[in-house]
Amino acid sequence: DAGVTQSPTHLIKTRGQQVTLRCSPISGHKSVSWYQQVLGQGPQFIFQYYEKEERGRGNFPDRFSARQFPNYSSELNVNALLLGDSALYLCASSFREETQYFGPGTRLLVL
Amino acid sequence: GENVEQHPSTLSVQEGDSAVIKCTYSDSASNYFPWYKQELGKRPQLIIDIRSNVGEKKDQRIAVTLNKTAKHFSLHITETQPEDSAVYFCAASQLIFGQGTELSVKP
């Protein structure tokens, strides 16, 4: 039984570039959430999608966007990258709005 | 919006001792409170959760208590072992996380 998967595992970008991160939820899970985790801090909520609809948005600028596809996979896009966007980006899936299971994360470094 | 405060930020105990981590939340409508363990370089893993209609839940050496009136909940780990060393996060309403507690269990 496959868990949540994310790609790529690591990414290096330069300031001003754009990045797309991908997430595949556990089979049968319809909700996907995205988090940013800076070293030494707790995960910060970015977006939640359920049944392809945005259900929640955290306190992040409009440079961050996301979508969920008919197969419930999801993409997180970040435009005009800043040095401060360097972080571990976590995706989590859940059957409904309760127990979440996290993917391994994508580690983004912005130079 | 919801805000979660977690204390302490670091906790060091001797093997076999108990460890307690406390969280407070602001939104009285919150009804789901999970706890996660994150080892260095790994993903957060759910270790226990509690819903607002329950005051206490226990799973072997781990227990969580919830006081809805005071809007705080706590994680209790008994008979700590070196492998319990990790960062622990509480969360409220599934999505809002505390700042984390780095637990170190010394043999």
Side-chain angles (χ1 to χ4, degrees):
Chain A
D1 186 19
V4 179
T5 59
Q6 291 185 244
S7 63
T9 56
H10 295 82
L11 204 51
I12 300 175
K13 293 285 189 178
T14 56
R15 281 177 296 175
Q17 286 189 310
Q18 175 264 340
V19 67
T20 298
L21 311 181
R22 296 176 176 82
C23 171
S24 291
I26 292 171
S27 178
H29 285 191
K30 300 180 179 180
S31 178
V32 170
S33 301
W34 287 96
Y35 297 85
Q36 180 194 68
Q37 187 176 27
V38 174
L39 193 64
Q41 295 183 20
Q44 296 291 310
F45 169 63
I46 310 176
F47 286 107
Q48 184 182 50
Y49 278 79
Y50 179 74
E51 287 276 20
K52 296 159 292 200
E53 301 259 332
E54 182 183 303
R55 294 295 293 269
R57 173 186 287 248
N59 189 24
F60 279 80
D62 291 344
R63 300 184 296 108
F64 288 76
S65 63
R67 55 180 176 168
Q68 186 176 34
F69 298 98
N71 66 353
Y72 303 110
S73 67
S74 178
E75 285 183 352
L76 175 70
N77 294 283
V78 186
N79 294 323
L81 285 167
L82 302 174
L83 297 180
D85 296 330
S86 296
L88 177 67
Y89 288 84
L90 292 162
C91 169
S93 77
S94 60
F95 179 63
R96 291 193 183 94
E97 294 178 344
E98 290 192 338
T99 306
Q100 292 189 109
Y101 298 89
F102 283 87
T106 293
R107 195 164 298 278
L108 172 65
L109 178 60
V110 182
L111 300 176
Chain B
E2 176 68 276
N3 184 51
V4 178
E5 296 286 335
Q6 183 173 344
H7 299 280
S9 56
T10 61
L11 180 59
S12 182
V13 299
Q14 288 294 132
E15 182 177 359
D17 287 350
S18 295
V20 180
I21 302 170
K22 299 181 179 181
C23 289
T24 59
Y25 61 99
S26 59
D27 187 353
S28 56
S30 294
N31 57 11
Y32 177 66
F33 307 92
W35 285 89
Y36 294 87
K37 176 182 180 181
Q38 187 175 28
E39 297 175 354
L40 191 62
K42 298 190 175 181
R43 73 189 80 184
Q45 298 227 318
L46 179 75
I47 56 171
I48 195 166
D49 57 11
I50 192 168
R51 289 166 177 77
S52 60
N53 58 346
V54 176
E56 183 174 358
K57 183 176 179 180
K58 191 172 181 180
D59 183 4
Q60 299 182 344
R61 296 185 298 108
I62 294 173
V64 57
T65 58
L66 171 65
N67 183 329
K68 284 213 71 179
T69 303
K71 288 191 280 188
H72 67 70
F73 55 114
S74 301
L75 177 71
H76 304 254
I77 306 174
T78 59
E79 301 172 22
T80 54
Q81 302 167 3
E83 51 265 40
D84 294 329
S85 296
V87 180
Y88 291 81
F89 295 101
C90 62
S93 295
Q94 185 193 42
L95 304 175
I96 309 303
F97 282 69
Q99 300 89 334
T101 296
E102 184 175 1
L103 174 64
S104 175
V105 180
K106 300 188 183 306

